[in-house]
Amino acid sequence: HQVQVNARNDDYSDFGNHSTWYAGYGYALDAHWKLTASASTAFNAPTFNDLFYPWGGNPDLKPEKSRAKEVGVQYAQGATLVRAVAFSTRISDLIGNDASFNRANIDRAKIEGLEVSASTTLAAWRVQAALTVQSPKDESTDQRLIRRAKQFGSLAVSRSIAAWELETVWHLSGDRLDAASGTRHTLGGYGRVDLAARWQFAPHWSLGLRAENVFDKDYETAYGYASGGRAAFATLSYSGR
């Protein structure tokens, strides 16, 4: 048996006092299989930009409040870990956007779905995969929440070779809905590949290289705002010991 209980209290000068909690339970069927369940509440205050950004801020926004439940099953053996979790989250006053892109509260929202993840080692390569299938719904209108995909996932492959750490990540997403001036738009699904490498060339020094959107995929996660194209970054790091 495994039990975890958390409690938290936040006192905001603008939004008052709010308490949240988490309760989780796990039961090991044997050395490899485990059943899990949890329930929790959450509180999310609007940011300064949500309230006062010159284009779209709303000083009358209320904080988000939510309740979540999860049940899952897990299999672990050596370097292999497989998990499946069914979840249900109900949110009141979800902070979103109205048809004119102004920040607004959504009275009632519900997100239900299934998340499956797996990781293992194959011939010295670390492989990690995750897939989420969900139904994000605005319960006030019985319509799908905007800017939320029904399916999304990732596949990552990494390996350490001498002083190098190499990684490739493939991000996948289904389509999204968005709205502007009262018109609903469908934003197409996409796949994006990122590459990363880290070279430990001295005891305290390392060089990081990262390439995002390697194939220069053109996509949008918000209507009218194209995501960045191909980009490359280099980072020099020092870590004292």
Side-chain angles (χ1 to χ4, degrees), residues 65-152:
K65 298 178 183 178
S66 65
R67 292 181 176 272
K69 299 177 182 178
E70 293 185 356
V71 292
V73 59
Q74 173 180 302
Y75 174 81
Q77 181 171 5
T80 299
L81 177 65
V82 181
R83 298 181 72 242
V85 177
F87 60 87
S88 176
T89 303
R90 291 183 176 273
I91 311 168
S92 60
D93 294 319
L94 175 67
I95 298 173
N97 296 84
D98 61 18
S100 300
F101 291 113
N102 296 313
R103 301 303 273 166
N105 286 116
I106 297 171
D107 186 30
R108 300 187 316 278
K110 179 173 67 174
I111 304 175
E112 295 180 328
L114 176 68
E115 180 181 79
V116 179
S117 62
S119 60
T120 191
T121 300
L122 300 174
W125 290 90
R126 185 66 176 168
V127 181
Q128 297 173 289
L131 174 65
T132 298
V133 179
Q134 63 179 10
S135 174
K137 182 181 293 186
D138 180 342
E139 292 192 299
S140 302
T141 61
D142 200 34
Q143 293 184 333
R144 177 177 167 187
L145 290 171
I146 66 171
R147 297 182 181 176
R148 294 178 186 262
K150 287 187 174 182
Q151 310 90 15
F152 58 90

Side-chain angles (χ1 to χ4, degrees), residues 190-232:
Y190 65 89
R192 191 190 82 190
V193 176
D194 298 338
L195 302 176
R198 181 174 174 270
W199 177 35
Q200 187 80 38
F201 62 88
H204 303 290
W205 292 91
S206 64
L207 176 66
L209 304 173
R210 188 171 83 256
E212 296 182 352
N213 197 6
V214 174
F215 298 107
D216 202 24
K217 179 68 176 180
D218 185 18
Y219 65 95
E220 294 180 342
T221 57
Y223 179 71
Y225 294 85
S227 295
R230 184 186 299 114

